Each structure stands twice: as C-alpha cells, then as structure tokens.
Amino acid sequence: MKIIIVGAIAGGSTVASQIRRALPESQITLVGREPDIGYGTCGMPYVIGGLISDSEKLVGTTPEDFIEERNINTLVQHEVLSIDRSNKTVVIQNMETEERFTESYDKLILSPGGFSRVPEFKGLGDLPLFTLKTLSDLETILEYIEKEKPTSCAIVGGGFIGIELAENFIHLGLKTALIERNDRVMKIMDVEITDILNKEMEDNGVEFYFEDAIERIEGKKLIMKNGVNVEVDFIAASVGIIPDTKLASDAGLTIGSTKGIVVNRYMQTDDPDIYTIGDAAECTDWVTGKPKRVQLAWHAHRAAYIVSRHLAGKPIEINGFLGTTITKLFSLTAAMTGHSAKSLTEEGISFKTVTHDGRSNAGYYPDHGTLHLRVHYDSETRRILGAQGVGDKGVNKRIDILATAMMGNITVDDLSALELAYSPPYSSPKDPINMLGYKAK
C-alpha cells in the first residue's frame, strides 16, 4: 500500500510511525513544509521563559531518523499543492528549488494543521509583531529577545497560549500587558475559575486591558479604544488558529460548520481513500454529538492511531471529544473537561453545578495545596456534562478522574463511591472527587 501523509508535525509524524508498525510492508511518504518534524509545540512558551533550556529539546526525532530507522520517505520543506482524486495523485513542490513533481497514492492522509490568525493594526510600522505556532516562530522570538533586549511587551488574546506567554514574558523580567476584548482571560472556562486566574496574573505583575483593543499604533505607543496609551517594545498576538483546509476544499472535500474538514468515526473524509487528522479535522462532541474541532495534541495522536488501525483492517471508532485540557499559570494549575456553564447554556442543556473548595491532600501534611473544583451535571440522569478545576496542587489528577468518569458514564453521585488511593502526601480519606459526589447527593 502506498501512503502519502501531508503535514509532518504532531499528527503527521505520529500517524506515519503508527502506520509503519501496523503495516510493515507499506510505502510511506511524509511531506512537511518546515525543516523539522514531530516537535512539541506545547512546550514553546516555556522555552521563551527559560524553563526549558533549549528549543532542540522539543524535537523528538529528525527527518534523517525517520528515513533511516523507520524507512519513511520524509520530504521536509516540501508542500503538496493539489490533489487529483480521480487519478489518486498529488502535486508536490520543493519549496527551496520550486521543482514540482507528481506522486500517486493508494491512501492519502491530511494533517495540515493551521495558521496563526494575525490581527491587522493601523500604524504598526516597525513595531515587531509575533505569533507562536511553529518552531520557526519560536526561533524568531528568541533571536529578537537575545538581540534587541526588550523591556516591555503587549499580548493580544487571553486564551491558553496568551496566558502562557504572559507568564513566561514575566519570567524574563518584561513589563507585560495583556489585551483582551472580553472581560476576562480564558473565556472557555467558568467565571469562578477565571477570576482566580485573573488575580494570579495580577499578583505576578501582568497588566490587564479587558474589553479593549488597539485602535492604532504610533511608534511604540498603543492607542487603546478605551483611551489609554500603552508603550511597548513588541506585540505577541494569540487570537486563534485558522485551520488549513485549502487543499481539501480545492479537492472538493466537505468543510463543516466548525470550518474543519468533515470526517467519519474512522477519520475518513467524503473520499474513503483520504483521511484527515489534527487541528483541521471536524469530529463530534462527546456530550452533544454535534460537530466539534479540537486543536490539542492528544486528539491528533488518538486520531493517528484510529487511522492506522483502519488501514490495517482492524478498525475501531474514535469517540466524541471532551476537549480535556490543562495549563500552568505561575503557581496555579487550571484544567477542564467537557462543557462549561456558558457552553451548556448556549446549547440549551439544563444542568446543575456542584462545587468543592478544599485541600489537595491531608491538611496536617506539610506539603498540601488548595483546590477549587466544579462539576456540571444533568439533574435528571445525573450524567456529568463537564468539569473544571484550579489550584496549586492536584488539579491534574482530579480532572483526569472526572474525564474518565464522563467517558465511563459514571454519574455525579457515583463519584462518592470511587475508591481512590489515599495517603497523607497525596489525598484525604475522602478525596475531593468523593466530596463532589457527596455534595451532589
């Protein structure tokens, strides 16, 4: 079987490796625009802040290793320009030489990712504007900081990447302003969670400009719509990712309501010989069954496994997505799975909420932290619809348990009966998860 994979970062390199194990005799070609493959994009903010000492640590493998050790034909700095579905061929261009050639395929896998949304600012001029999506973006930021020695910056956008950049710019000693058109950071989460995150950022020196935007720029001065002037050395924009669907759209594949490429439970597009994984794939929501597109690494890796199994004739279906995610913010950890109060309300789903404020482990043990947990559930079926947590210790464990509970259809009441590991350094006799169950009763 001859397989061509378009895109060589998380999804593409992973599915290539999975297919090599599942189909040892297959002929695999991996095509990527960048010079690197399979690197850890999620670690990039921490390289900027110095927590990760070298960007090379993010690179798990090299094109040479893929060729030599895995027998995967790896074409870096190459781009697939078009798909001819009737003849099952693609046109590939060498981005350095501009040479073009045609390759045939039996199966085609699209893992195109997406592009950073770049805002347009009136009067930007020579003021540096950065986004952070690729390893090249990271190197550009690192080179600028090393050479220019900036002292201040503005971040536009208060989502996951925005707040992680804020933390890491603060670690560098930069005066950091965060500009957000909404009234809080992390609007995907409940207000009760983001209020805690806002305070943590303020306590660490981040300046907020909520419900505001840059009206124009004069030199290094940002003229804000609310009338405040902010002077900065550079801007970092984190205002979303645009899925790269042009290749699929040009080939006549269906683009769905989330602006992703529509796939079935086996990650197949309209064309059964073409699969899509990663940021650009439109799957379904675990709770509602409606279209959902998740731009996170776990989902790309899971989809890669689903594709490899299907190609090997041992199919399993992909589940609906919960969108489980977690982030570090100074001394805090925040995480969520499933729906927030806002998204449930927008979906017209009736729900109740149970909360718990407590310690991560035994209070008499010297190393304990605090937790705030929230679970949204259906008041009739008692099914868990979503959960969130924030605290300085143990959040990851609890959100993972709650995500497992959701997938196992465990009710909110059943949480009280979960027999969870207890020892004073790790928990309490009644774990915070148990307490949520007791309180819901």
Side-chain angles (χ1 to χ4, degrees):
M1 186 183 296
K2 187 175 182 181
I3 301 163
I4 295 179
I5 302 166
V6 182
I9 311 303
S13 60
T14 300
V15 78
S17 297
Q18 295 277 7
I19 294 169
R20 173 55 69 226
R21 285 190 285 270
L23 294 167
E25 304 303 318
S26 60
Q27 181 181 341
I28 307 171
T29 297
L30 179 64
V31 185
R33 294 191 187 104
E34 298 181 49
D36 300 289
I37 67 171
Y39 55 82
T41 57
C42 300
M44 294 193 295
Y46 305 105
V47 176
I48 293 173
L51 186 63
I52 299 172
S53 59
D54 187 349
S55 61
E56 289 300 313
K57 293 182 182 295
L58 304 181
V59 181
T61 188
T62 66
E64 293 74 22
D65 286 342
F66 253 51
I67 294 169
E68 295 173 11
E69 298 176 9
R70 307 185 195 192
N71 190 27
I72 295 171
N73 181 30
T74 306
L75 304 177
V76 294
Q77 294 180 288
H78 283 67
E79 182 176 17
V80 174
L81 300 179
S82 62
I83 303 167
D84 183 340
R85 290 169 54 192
S86 59
N87 292 309
K88 298 182 72 171
T89 61
V90 295
V91 175
I92 303 173
Q93 177 171 277
N94 184 318
M95 296 170 68
E96 294 181 299
T97 67
E98 297 187 355
E99 173 195 2
R100 296 185 180 186
F101 54 96
T102 299
E103 285 286 344
S104 63
Y105 65 84
D106 296 312
K107 303 291 181 180
L108 180 65
I109 302 168
L110 306 180
S111 182
F115 303 103
S116 293
R117 193 182 301 277
V118 182
E120 295 184 4
F121 297 118
K122 182 180 179 181
L124 179 64
D126 295 328
L127 188 67
L129 171 63
F130 301 109
T131 58
L132 185 62
K133 181 68 172 66
T134 68
L135 207 56
S136 297
D137 294 337
L138 173 62
E139 295 299 340
T140 299
I141 294 173
L142 294 174
E143 289 172 10
Y144 168 79
I145 291 172
E146 175 65 25
K147 180 180 178 181
E148 302 298 333
K149 305 292 191 296
T151 61
S152 61
C153 67
I155 299 166
V156 180
F160 282 98
I161 300 299
I163 66 172
E164 289 171 359
L165 283 174
E167 175 184 357
N168 285 282
F169 287 145
I170 289 288
H171 286 331
L172 290 179
L174 299 179
K175 183 180 179 182
T176 302
L178 191 147
I179 302 166
E180 170 59 54
R181 64 182 179 180
N182 296 288
D183 61 353
R184 58 196 175 98
V185 298
M186 298 293 288
K187 66 175 183 176
I188 191 174
M189 304 185 84
D190 290 350
V191 172
E192 293 82 357
I193 300 287
T194 58
D195 282 349
I196 297 171
L197 299 181
N198 286 346
K199 185 177 186 307
E200 177 74 0
M201 296 176 77
E202 285 181 333
D203 289 348
N204 282 277
V206 179
E207 298 179 2
F208 288 122
Y209 296 87
F210 287 132
E211 297 180 295
D212 208 347
I214 299 170
E215 187 173 78
R216 67 183 188 280
I217 300 172
E218 297 176 359
K220 290 187 174 184
K221 189 177 294 183
L222 312 182
I223 312 300
M224 308 299 293
K225 286 188 176 180
N226 285 353
V228 178
N229 296 340
V230 183
E231 191 160 313
V232 298
D233 291 325
F234 70 91
I235 300 172
S238 178
V239 292
I241 301 297
I242 303 169
D244 184 3
T245 59
K246 185 178 186 304
L247 191 62
S249 179
D250 289 349
L253 301 177
T254 299
I255 308 301
S257 58
T258 69
K259 299 183 180 179
I261 304 165
V262 175
V263 296
N264 64 14
R265 290 290 189 177
Y266 305 106
M267 307 309 296
Q268 289 171 298
T269 66
D270 302 330
D271 187 326
D273 292 322
I274 302 179
Y275 299 76
T276 297
I277 63 174
D279 292 356
E282 179 178 285
C283 297
T284 59
D285 183 276
W286 173 268
V287 173
T288 67
K290 293 181 179 180
K292 184 171 187 141
R293 189 170 54 82
V294 180
Q295 298 173 154
L296 295 170
W298 183 92
H299 305 78
H301 282 248
R302 179 60 178 170
Y305 180 70
I306 298 295
V307 170
S308 68
R309 289 279 302 230
H310 196 254
L311 290 175
K314 301 175 181 179
I316 56 175
E317 296 185 356
I318 197 160
N319 291 323
F321 286 161
L322 292 172
T324 307
T325 188
I326 191 167
T327 189
K328 173 188 177 299
L329 184 61
F330 297 103
S331 68
L332 296 180
T333 298
M336 71 177 295
T337 187
H339 281 263
S340 66
K342 181 175 182 290
S343 62
L344 288 170
T345 300
E346 290 173 347
E347 288 288 344
I349 298 173
S350 178
F351 68 96
K352 288 187 176 180
T353 302
V354 60
T355 66
H356 177 68
D357 289 285
R359 295 185 177 97
S360 59
N361 52 299
Y364 58 77
Y365 191 81
D367 180 21
H368 67 267
T370 58
L371 284 171
H372 173 71
L373 297 173
R374 305 175 60 78
V375 168
H376 305 305
Y377 62 95
D378 186 303
S379 58
E380 294 184 6
T381 66
R382 314 295 283 179
R383 180 187 178 202
I384 299 171
L385 304 173
Q388 301 182 26
V390 63
D392 45 24
K393 186 181 178 185
V395 173
N396 56 333
K397 170 182 175 179
R398 275 68 186 205
I399 287 296
D400 286 344
I401 292 171
L402 290 165
T404 304
M406 289 185 70
M407 293 195 69
N409 290 315
I410 293 173
T411 69
V412 66
D413 305 303
D414 292 333
L415 296 178
S416 65
L418 289 181
E419 186 179 346
L420 303 175
Y422 162 62
S423 180
Y426 304 106
S427 184
S428 300
K430 289 193 292 292
D431 189 88
I433 293 293
N434 299 138
M435 292 303 299
L436 288 166
Y438 284 122
K439 287 184 173 183
K441 286 178 181 293

